[in-house]
Amino acid sequence: MKSVGDYIIARFDAWCRLASDPSFYFVAAFLLIVLGCDVVRKGWRRSLSRRAIESIAATLAIFHINILLVPGIWLLSDYAKQAYDLLGIPSIPGSVWAGRPTWLLSFFGILAADFANYWNHRLMHMKWLWPVHAIHHSDPVVNGLTTYRVHALENLVMLVSYTLLLSWIGLPSDAIGYGALIVLFHNIYVHIDVDWGHGPLRLLIASPRFHRWHHADVPAAYGKNLANVFPFFDWIFGTYRVPGTCNVPLGATGVPRNDVLKLTLWPLIEWSRLAIRLLPTVRRQVVDDRGDIPAE
C-alpha cells in the first residue's frame, strides 16, 4: 500500500502534467482576453477600481490555496471512489460508446454532468452545505475570475457527486476531457459582466444575464438559476428566474466578501454555529426520550 507521501508526490506529478497541457494555456489566454475586453468596454477606472482589485486579489488567493489543498481533496475523493466500487453498481460497458462520434459523446457528457451539477448545486444552497458554496457567492464584483472563487470542500462535493451520479455511464476519457474543457470555458463566459440574455435560446444555453441573477443578493433570487449550462433544467424543476437586466447588488449577505482567511475557514465557522444552535433541540429530544422510559 502506498503511503500518503507517495500519493501526494504522484498527484503533484499529475498536477505538473496538467499545468503543461495546452488546454491550460488556452484557458489562461481566454481569461486574459475576457478581462482585457472588460477594461476596454468599461474603462480601466471602472474595471480596475479598488473594489474590483480587492475582489480579484481575494479570488486569486483562494485559487492558490486550493492548489495547495488539491492532494488532500484528491485523496478524499479517491476514498469515495473506492467506497463506490464496493457497492458493485453495474456500469454501461465501454463497447456501447464505441464508434460514436466524439462530439456526440462530449455533448452527452456535458448534458449528464449538468444534470448532476443542477442537483448538487441545489443541495449546496441548503442550510448544511451552503457554508461550502457561500464562498463562491461572496464575490461582490462578479467577473470571469469568479469561476475560480470556489472553496476546496466544494470541489470535493463536486467530485463525489460525479462519482455517485456519473460513474455508471462509463463514457470514454477523451469525450469527458473535451466536455470538461467546454464547460470550463462556458463557466468563465457566464460570469463576465455583460447583459447578454441569448434571446430565443435563453432556455437552451446559460447566458451571463441568467447566471448574474443567480449571484444576485436579493431574496427573490436565492436558490434560482442553478444549472451551469442548460437553463431548461431550472425551467423544468421550477427554479428559473430571469426578470430582465440584473441591476441589483451581487454577493451573499452575512458572508465575508474578500477576507481570504475567513472565507477559507467559513464552512467550519458556520457549521460550528449551526451545531451550537442545534444543541438545545438535541438536548430537549434526549430529555423527552428519557421521559418516555418507565421508571424501574
Side-chain angles (χ1 to χ4, degrees):
M1 181 180 293
K2 290 185 177 181
S3 67
V4 174
D6 292 334
Y7 180 89
I8 292 174
I9 291 171
R11 288 302 186 178
F12 179 74
D13 290 340
W15 183 262
C16 289
R17 289 195 298 272
L18 179 65
S20 62
D21 189 283
S23 62
F24 178 85
Y25 297 103
F26 280 123
V27 172
F30 183 61
L31 267 172
L32 289 174
I33 291 170
V34 166
L35 293 175
C37 290
D38 191 61
V39 171
V40 171
R41 186 174 64 87
K42 295 192 298 188
W44 68 270
R45 288 184 183 276
R46 285 185 59 203
S47 293
L48 300 177
S49 64
R50 179 177 177 179
R51 185 164 172 257
I53 290 172
E54 287 177 352
S55 182
I56 290 171
T59 299
L60 291 174
I62 291 169
F63 172 73
H64 285 90
I65 289 171
N66 286 345
I67 290 177
L68 295 176
L69 297 175
V70 159
I73 297 302
W74 274 339
L75 184 60
L76 292 172
S77 67
D78 269 5
Y79 288 148
K81 291 176 184 175
Q82 291 169 21
Y84 176 84
D85 290 340
L86 291 174
L87 296 176
I89 297 174
S91 62
I92 297 174
S95 58
V96 171
W97 308 114
R100 304 293 193 278
T102 301
W103 68 265
L104 180 62
L105 296 181
S106 295
F107 173 77
F108 180 73
I110 293 170
L111 183 67
D114 203 50
F115 181 76
N117 282 334
Y118 174 86
W119 288 106
N120 65 40
H121 199 175
R122 191 161 180 166
L123 286 173
M124 284 192 289
H125 274 263
M126 295 181 178
K127 182 166 65 173
W128 285 94
L129 281 179
W130 169 246
V132 172
H133 185 56
I135 283 71
H136 182 64
H137 281 266
S138 67
D139 197 344
V141 186
V142 175
N143 54 53
L145 281 171
T146 306
T147 303
Y148 294 97
R149 186 183 280 224
V150 179
H151 199 280
L153 289 176
E154 179 169 339
N155 289 326
L156 178 62
V157 171
M158 300 287 279
L159 289 171
V160 171
S161 72
Y162 291 156
T163 297
L164 296 175
L165 298 175
L166 302 176
S167 291
W168 62 274
I169 295 177
L171 283 170
S173 58
D174 57 343
I176 294 173
Y178 289 130
L181 187 60
I182 292 169
V183 169
L184 177 56
F185 276 114
H186 180 263
N187 205 4
I188 295 170
Y189 163 70
V190 296
H191 284 97
I192 62 177
D193 183 13
V194 291
D195 185 38
W196 297 344
H198 293 179
L201 301 178
R202 61 187 177 277
L203 289 179
L204 294 179
I205 187 75
S207 67
R209 179 189 291 178
F210 167 85
H211 196 69
R212 210 155 191 83
W213 276 108
H214 177 68
H215 281 266
D217 191 15
V218 291
Y222 295 164
K224 304 296 184 181
N225 300 356
L226 299 166
N228 287 340
V229 181
F230 301 114
F232 55 76
F233 285 132
D234 284 284
W235 181 76
I236 291 170
F237 298 115
T239 51
Y240 181 87
R241 187 180 189 277
V242 184
T245 300
C246 183
N247 291 320
V248 300
L250 307 180
T253 299
V255 180
R257 290 186 172 185
N258 294 317
D259 188 325
V260 175
L261 180 59
K262 279 188 177 180
L263 288 173
T264 302
L265 298 175
W266 192 248
L268 300 178
I269 293 171
E270 283 300 289
W271 286 334
S272 298
R273 289 175 182 168
L274 289 171
I276 290 170
R277 291 173 190 168
L278 192 62
L279 277 177
T281 303
V282 174
R283 286 173 180 165
R284 282 196 299 269
Q285 186 63 48
V286 170
V287 170
D288 290 344
D289 290 344
R290 286 178 177 173
D292 292 337
I293 300 174
E296 293 183 359

